[in-house]
Amino acid sequence: MDRASRREFIRVAAAAAAVSPAALSYAPQPSLRLPRDVRVAIIGFEGHYSEILEVASANPQVKLVAVAEQNPALSKRASANRLLSEATPYEDYRQMLDKEALDIVAVCGQNHTRARIVQECADRRLAIVAEKPLAMDLEELEATRRSIAANGVRLTILLPMRFSPVYQRMRAIVQNGEIGEVVCMAAQKSYKLGERPDWMKKRATFGGIIPYIGIHMVDLMLWTSGREFVEASAFQSNVGFPAYGEMENNAAVIFKLDNQGTATVRLDYLRPAKAPTHGDDRLRLAGTKGVVEAQEANGLWLITGQKPPEQIRDLPAAGFLFADFLESVYKGKRHLISLEEIFRVNEIVLKAREAAERHTIVRV
Amino acid sequence: MDRASRREFIRVAAAAAAVSPAALSYAPQPSLRLPRDVRVAIIGFEGHYSEILEVASANPQVKLVAVAEQNPALSKRASANRLLSEATPYEDYRQMLDKEALDIVAVCGQNHTRARIVQECADRRLAIVAEKPLAMDLEELEATRRSIAANGVRLTILLPMRFSPVYQRMRAIVQNGEIGEVVCMAAQKSYKLGERPDWMKKRATFGGIIPYIGIHMVDLMLWTSGREFVEASAFQSNVGFPAYGEMENNAAVIFKLDNQGTATVRLDYLRPAKAPTHGDDRLRLAGTKGVVEAQEANGLWLITGQKPPEQIRDLPAAGFLFADFLESVYKGKRHLISLEEIFRVNEIVLKAREAAERHTIVRV
């Protein structure tokens, strides 16, 4: 199970067992030795804020000083976590932003609130860690891009799969030329459906399966392959689960690459409850000289013209998105996800959703 | 390795090693006990005529009486096979059809010749086993459909994967309701490129990667899931192998299902030379109650809400397409591939190719 899946599993397991996330332990992490303490707030407990808590748990310099959440049930559950026990709770995030002296805000609420909150944080010159997607449509995305640029603030989004040893290694294999030029990519996200909050069941507040989970695989495909996407076509729907309203439980997306190669992405919320992990992530890159592939159940495999299939067990250490971001903000390190990449991947998934909704091939 | 892949492997291995197919042995088969001897001819050695030879090798009643092939190199290689040693060789298939008293003709030549030859065989009231695809475009397909109907002849096409134990079992699992309603399908065909004849390097004589290899997976998706396709979108190209001309080495296809579910198909000729099998076939069906999946390297797996992932090892015996066809023609058995299915799957792949070539979503 990679880290993103593990976190998702922890989140779902915690929800399913109705236990506090405080009962769960986090992966060991290096101390960051930041030049000073960092005051962090979390807005919204809908998203994967465990990314923040994991890093805070290993770094006492990361102070969780405030949290804002309108939903009392989510607030109550989060407040049981020792890392959040000192945080001042707010219902209104604007009040929190007005009152608290903050360095970084994690924007983890419902999808439809994100772009607006990110812009408000940018206006206050705060560094921002945002859930994905960053915006609900291209207009919001463009407004957010302008706001970030105008305010000159730092931004990252929760695409932690880039920090997974498997995908880091996959990218290195491509960069080393081991599979030649990438021609044909295939990715899968298959999740357990489980219970979902009401906001995920409406297009206006959720935004769709492609921006929400497709974004991980679009980002990984671009990042590992070094290629760009130029066109998209997509179908999506909810079949068999009317209680989930407008939340799609399946999608099929194809992309044309900048070298005229192709990519397919399949997304579903059909993973059976008895499956060993919450997600069944897969990514396969076929190039002119070889194929490299990661499957949740099988690990990372490489086949080239030079040698038979080989499982790649020599993997780099796992990275931590929020730790990497902190080091970029406070220690001048280059963050693994650039601003340009953040806006580009959001643009692509919104345009791919548009392809599905407008029922046409879209230039991305 | 399933049978289709094995045959493909044998074909490629034989070509690569420049050995005669006579040196290779065929799988054991049941005797058919036909009511009388059957006189069979093969037109063209470009296709997978080993399907015919396999059955003939176990059934002396199947007499290979004539062969027609214009390419002397292919004729010479085939004539080394003991099963073809008694067959009268022709260069001109029309001359063969005029002179020989035949029961069944296997139409295995170059793709662009197929529809015409099939129609000529139908006009002569011969039963026909055709390579795939059946036609190069929808007009040819419609003419072939009319010819088969008007002459009332029997027809099958070389889609032997239906007879594979894995896919038979997959279909049974769906029919038993074990995965509920199929919502999201994903299929892969990845082949070694190897040497290819010149006719495959031209669109006009090859017809494209989607009709040629995509047809296997489209057929299996329809047959195993029990669903229909209503729309298609596709991208395809040849990247990195200019010597192969217009032969695409990658394609990405999506389909919308009749229940609004989705399917993705990825096709490539990028499988590295050192891979253990010629093809890396995959098919995954995700339904409302479970997921069933076949992968070349892993076999058949089932996950449902009822029990953890389980490898399905209890598989039915392999069937044999040509044997099944013979029994349908001479013993009244119902052939596993209906006429309606044959024309439907050809129609779908030609329309999916049209989606790629016309760069638009196509109703299939």
Side-chain angles (χ1 to χ4, degrees), chain B residues 202-215:
Chain B
K202 296 190 188 73
R203 162 68 171 76
T205 48
F206 176 51
I209 189 173
I210 298 173
Y212 192 58
I213 65 175
I215 194 170

Side-chain angles (χ1 to χ4, degrees), chain A residues 181-186 188 190 231-241 249-256 259-268 270-276 280 282 284 286-291 293 295 298 303-309 355 359-361, chain B residues 181-186 188 190 231-241 249-256 259-268 270-276 280 282 284 286-291 293 295 298 303-309 355 359-361:
Chain A
E181 178 179 349
V182 173
V183 175
C184 189
M185 295 193 262
Q188 172 179 298
S190 173
E231 287 183 320
S233 187
F235 298 133
Q236 60 182 13
S237 69
N238 172 358
V239 177
F241 295 86
N249 71 345
N250 75 102
V253 191
I254 50 176
F255 294 101
K256 173 159 282 197
N259 66 350
Q260 306 301 303
T262 51
T264 57
V265 183
R266 49 199 190 273
L267 308 171
D268 73 69
L270 295 162
R271 188 150 166 85
K274 294 274 184 182
D280 184 2
R282 304 189 190 175
R284 176 180 183 268
T288 51
K289 294 180 180 170
V291 175
E293 177 166 23
Q295 290 194 42
N298 297 345
I303 315 181
T304 69
Q306 307 310 310
K307 47 190 172 183
H359 195 254
T360 186
I361 296 171
Chain B
E181 178 179 348
V182 174
V183 175
C184 189
M185 295 193 263
Q188 171 179 298
S190 173
E231 287 183 320
S233 187
F235 298 134
Q236 61 182 12
S237 68
N238 171 357
V239 177
F241 295 86
N249 71 345
N250 75 102
V253 191
I254 51 176
F255 294 101
K256 172 159 282 195
N259 66 351
Q260 306 301 303
T262 51
T264 57
V265 183
R266 50 199 190 274
L267 308 172
D268 74 68
L270 295 162
R271 188 151 166 84
K274 294 274 183 181
D280 183 2
R282 304 189 190 175
R284 176 180 183 268
T288 52
K289 294 179 180 171
V291 175
E293 177 166 23
Q295 290 193 40
N298 297 345
I303 315 181
T304 69
Q306 308 310 309
K307 47 189 172 183
H359 195 256
T360 187
I361 296 171

Side-chain angles (χ1 to χ4, degrees), chain A residues 103 105 107 114-131 134-135 139-157 325 329 335 337-343 346:
Chain A
D103 297 308
V105 177
V107 182
R114 191 154 307 121
R116 175 169 40 84
I117 297 175
V118 165
Q119 291 169 48
E120 292 183 63
C121 292
D123 287 342
R124 287 170 165 87
R125 307 292 162 94
L126 300 170
I128 300 159
V129 181
E131 249 295 359
L134 199 48
E139 292 66 34
E140 272 193 1
L141 186 66
E142 185 52 30
T144 306
R145 186 202 310 265
R146 283 196 304 266
S147 169
I148 295 292
N151 290 296
V153 298
R154 304 296 306 271
L155 171 70
T156 190
I157 54 172
F325 183 65
V329 173
H335 185 42
I337 314 177
S338 74
L339 261 189
E340 190 183 357
E341 290 170 330
I342 290 170
F343 286 102
N346 276 278

